[in-house]
């Protein structure tokens, strides 16, 4: 039996689902086959790898994630597969994880605080990298701002 709180298990499942959704969108955009996708998916999400693969071949990724926290991100992912931009899709995936971690604010002690703190630190480092890389590349500040994720605060 797995050890951990419901919060930790939920975070890991959401992280796995987010990773699988991102992988699926990127692989479909590259035009790779289902075998390639099967090798890229990670276990542990609330949506099984088989369900996701069946959805790709059938009703589409947006319907696979319908009713889940990643529903909006999946719709943006479907749009990205059809030729849209990845920016809003990636942002939506990251914001779902940040929203989940925001629930840890209600806890004063325990692993929720540690998990949220570490994920928050990682998000802040990613934001700093995005800002510095954007500035070095000459990207306007408003474009950089719209690509930044919600931070855990």
């Amino acid at each position: 039996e797995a050890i951990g709180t419901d919060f930790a298990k939920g975070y890991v499942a959401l992280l796995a689902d987010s990773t699988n959704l991102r992988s699926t969108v990127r692989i479909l955009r590259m035009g790779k086959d289902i075998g390639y996708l099967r090798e890229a998916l990670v276990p542990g999400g609330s949506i099984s790898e088989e369900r996701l693969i069946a959805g790709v071949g059938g009703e589409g990724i947006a319907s696979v994630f319908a009713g889940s926290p990643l529903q909006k991100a999946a719709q943006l992912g479907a749009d990205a597969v059809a030729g849209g931009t990845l920016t809003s899709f990636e942002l939506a995936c990251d914001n779902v994880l940040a929203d989940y971690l925001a629930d840890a604010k209600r806890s004063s002690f325990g692993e929720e605080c540690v998990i949220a703190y570490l994920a928050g630190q990682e998000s802040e480092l990613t934001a700093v990298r995005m800002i510095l890389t954007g500035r070095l590349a000459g990207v306007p500040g408003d474009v950089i701002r719209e690509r930044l994720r919600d931070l855990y605060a």
Side-chain angles (χ1 to χ4, degrees), residues 8 10 20 24 30 34-35 38-39 48 52 54 59 69-70 73 82 85 103 107 112 121 123-124 144 149 152:
N20 286 341
T24 301
M30 291 187 313
I34 297 296
R38 189 179 305 280
E39 293 296 318
S48 71
L52 185 54
E59 74 268 19
L70 288 162
T85 178
D103 288 340
S107 178
E112 293 94 342
Q121 291 296 94
S123 294
E124 289 175 7
I144 294 172
R149 279 74 174 131
Y152 170 79

Side-chain angles (χ1 to χ4, degrees), residues 17-145:
D17 285 341
S18 176
T19 300
N20 286 341
L21 177 58
R22 290 173 202 248
S23 297
T24 301
V25 168
R26 291 183 180 282
I27 288 168
L28 291 176
R29 280 178 57 107
M30 291 187 313
K32 299 289 185 177
D33 63 9
I34 297 296
Y36 193 87
L37 174 61
R38 189 179 305 280
E39 293 296 318
L41 297 178
V42 298
S46 60
I47 297 171
S48 71
E49 299 101 301
E50 291 307 315
R51 170 75 178 105
L52 185 54
I53 289 169
V56 167
E59 74 268 19
I61 57 174
S63 63
V64 172
F65 288 91
S68 80
L70 288 162
Q71 179 175 343
K72 179 182 174 191
Q75 183 56 56
L76 292 169
D79 295 345
V81 169
T85 178
L86 282 173
T87 304
S88 57
F89 162 68
E90 291 284 345
L91 183 64
C93 288
D94 288 342
N95 287 343
V96 167
L97 291 168
D99 290 344
Y100 185 84
L101 292 170
D103 288 340
K105 289 180 184 179
R106 296 186 190 104
S107 178
S108 300
F109 301 99
E111 63 190 36
E112 293 94 342
C113 300
V114 175
I115 292 167
Y117 175 77
L118 292 174
Q121 291 296 94
E122 185 178 358
S123 294
E124 289 175 7
L125 288 173
T126 300
V128 169
R129 271 192 234 108
M130 288 175 70
I131 292 168
L132 293 176
T133 303
R135 298 302 289 167
L136 286 172
V139 177
D142 57 330
V143 174
I144 294 172
R145 230 175 272 107

